[in-house]
Amino acid sequence: MQELGLNELKKVMVLPVIVFVFTVFIFILAMSSFGASSSEELTSVKGLLTTEEGQRLYEEVWKKPIQEVYEETHISVHIAWVIVPSCMIDDPFTIGHDRAKEIVMLAMDSEGEEYVETSLVSFVERLISQPEFSELDKEKVIEIIEANEESADITTIGNIPEELGEYMKLNLSLPVEKGSWSGIGDVGMYNPFGEWRMHYGMDIAVPTGTPLYAAADATVEVVYHSETGGNTIMMRNGTLIIIYCHMRELSFLKSGDTVKAGDLVGYSGATGRVTGPHLHFETWSSDVADVREGYSYKDSIFFNPRLLWNFD
């Protein structure tokens, strides 16, 4: 998996090479060893994560160290910062857990007892001083990361669904009208009630009464009220499970109803344990028969909605 090498490219591409922007061209070469089979897979970190090798790289090398660093520092690292350089060295799978954690910590600057994220340039400079990455060209690494940072600018904790590529083919829609929100709290660790806790979904700040739309073609699994989530609806499409919490009132839909992406399913509110009106938008990947049972092990099935839905 060397960063350049036309021989590597020839092994993967059977069609004539199309002239791409220089940074994308480099990234194609770097990704080729992962067996990407489409332009989306070849030219984006998100696409790479739909491949078996890309998911293996995240799961086996980076997932646990990134999660541990996040829990200790409350700072997440961009997926592109670690995935891109990993794809440019011979064998990233030789990087063990403790070593991967040390590498992730290169993205942090210490300010007393607090941590802040360093700049991309500083991170890459530190990275290429490490023996595993010493042969990489700093400018090329930065160019490729910058070309992918927007699409991979998600909280780098959680799970990468094995069926992510299939989910991307579904008919999808934003759960609220684009631009209707005043802010978004991403998946991550927060302490709104005085203690740091993992928050498994996105909090989309919208006024009470904002229309909520089905985020995908789906079947309604259950509509219910809970002390924490308030008025909730759970929908699914195969193994993709979609959850909306804190609705103004229980959805008018019932178990077994089918919806198309973009169909109205209810209205936002502030029911349950909240600090203000918003939509809690959570996504899981699981074949659990009773979706509510997923709450008992959602650490292993939740994923960041930004992998599928573009809120930018």
Side-chain angles (χ1 to χ4, degrees), residues 22-66:
F22 180 64
T23 56
V24 175
F25 176 65
I26 297 173
F27 193 60
I28 290 174
L29 296 174
M31 296 300 104
S32 60
S33 294
F34 283 87
S37 59
S38 73
S39 58
E40 166 66 15
E41 291 173 343
L42 283 166
T43 60
S44 75
V45 170
K46 191 182 293 185
L48 172 68
L49 294 175
T50 68
T51 68
E52 183 177 348
E53 284 296 289
Q55 291 179 10
R56 181 185 165 215
L57 177 64
Y58 178 76
E59 290 287 335
E60 295 184 13
V61 180
W62 298 113
K63 177 182 173 181
K64 190 173 181 180
I66 287 174

Side-chain angles (χ1 to χ4, degrees), residues 6-26:
L6 292 177
N7 289 334
E8 189 74 19
L9 180 63
K10 291 175 182 176
K11 293 177 184 178
V12 178
M13 302 188 71
V14 296
L15 297 176
V17 177
I18 301 173
V19 178
F20 288 99
V21 176
F22 180 64
T23 56
V24 175
F25 176 65
I26 297 173

Side-chain angles (χ1 to χ4, degrees), residues 41 163-172 217 237 308:
E41 291 173 343
E163 297 180 276
L164 180 61
E166 293 304 309
Y167 295 168
M168 287 180 171
K169 298 174 185 177
L170 297 176
N171 185 26
L172 303 174
D217 295 349
N237 183 318
L308 287 179

Side-chain angles (χ1 to χ4, degrees), residues 41-96:
E41 291 173 343
L42 283 166
T43 60
S44 75
V45 170
K46 191 182 293 185
L48 172 68
L49 294 175
T50 68
T51 68
E52 183 177 348
E53 284 296 289
Q55 291 179 10
R56 181 185 165 215
L57 177 64
Y58 178 76
E59 290 287 335
E60 295 184 13
V61 180
W62 298 113
K63 177 182 173 181
K64 190 173 181 180
I66 287 174
Q67 176 69 30
E68 291 178 0
V69 168
Y70 185 71
E71 291 173 353
E72 293 169 11
T73 67
H74 303 147
I75 295 175
S76 59
V77 177
H78 301 290
I79 283 181
W81 284 30
V82 293
I83 291 290
V84 167
S86 299
C87 295
M88 298 172 72
I89 62 176
D90 285 330
D91 189 0
F93 296 102
T94 61
I95 300 174

Side-chain angles (χ1 to χ4, degrees), residues 113-280:
E113 297 182 356
E114 302 291 326
Y115 287 95
V116 296
E117 185 180 67
T118 193
S119 68
L120 173 59
V121 172
S122 293
F123 170 73
V124 175
E125 288 175 345
R126 296 170 186 173
L127 185 74
I128 63 175
S129 70
Q130 307 302 306
E132 300 93 335
F133 302 93
S134 59
E135 295 184 8
L136 299 186
D137 180 274
K138 182 182 81 172
E139 298 304 323
K140 290 174 183 175
V141 175
I142 291 173
E143 282 186 275
I144 299 170
I145 290 176
E146 287 180 337
N148 281 274
E149 201 161 16
E150 183 175 346
S151 64
D153 188 15
I154 62 175
T155 308
T156 55
I157 44 89
N159 306 284
I160 305 296
E162 290 184 6
E163 297 180 276
L164 180 61
E166 293 304 309
Y167 295 168
M168 287 180 171
K169 298 174 185 177
L170 297 176
N171 185 26
L172 303 174
S173 174
L174 288 177
V176 295
E177 185 177 347
K178 192 163 189 175
S180 64
W181 54 83
S182 59
I184 293 178
D186 277 299
V187 174
M189 296 188 72
Y190 297 92
N191 63 344
F193 302 106
E195 62 175 315
W196 286 95
R197 299 182 63 183
M198 183 61 201
H199 186 257
Y200 295 92
M202 299 176 69
D203 280 351
I204 305 172
V206 288
T208 295
T210 298
L212 304 179
Y213 305 106
D217 295 349
T219 299
V220 176
E221 292 289 303
V222 62
V223 175
Y224 67 98
H225 176 87
S226 74
E227 182 178 346
T228 301
N231 296 323
T232 300
I233 184 171
M234 302 180 76
M235 301 168 280
R236 81 181 310 159
N237 183 318
T239 58
L240 173 62
I241 298 172
I242 298 168
I243 307 166
Y244 295 173
C245 297
H246 312 306
M247 297 169 67
R248 186 179 66 187
E249 59 266 322
L250 289 174
S251 174
F252 51 83
L253 297 168
K254 61 183 185 299
S255 178
D257 286 348
T258 58
V259 292
K260 294 290 185 182
D263 283 354
L264 181 71
V265 300
Y267 299 90
S268 65
T271 57
R273 195 180 188 205
V274 299
T275 58
H278 68 278
L279 168 66
H280 176 88

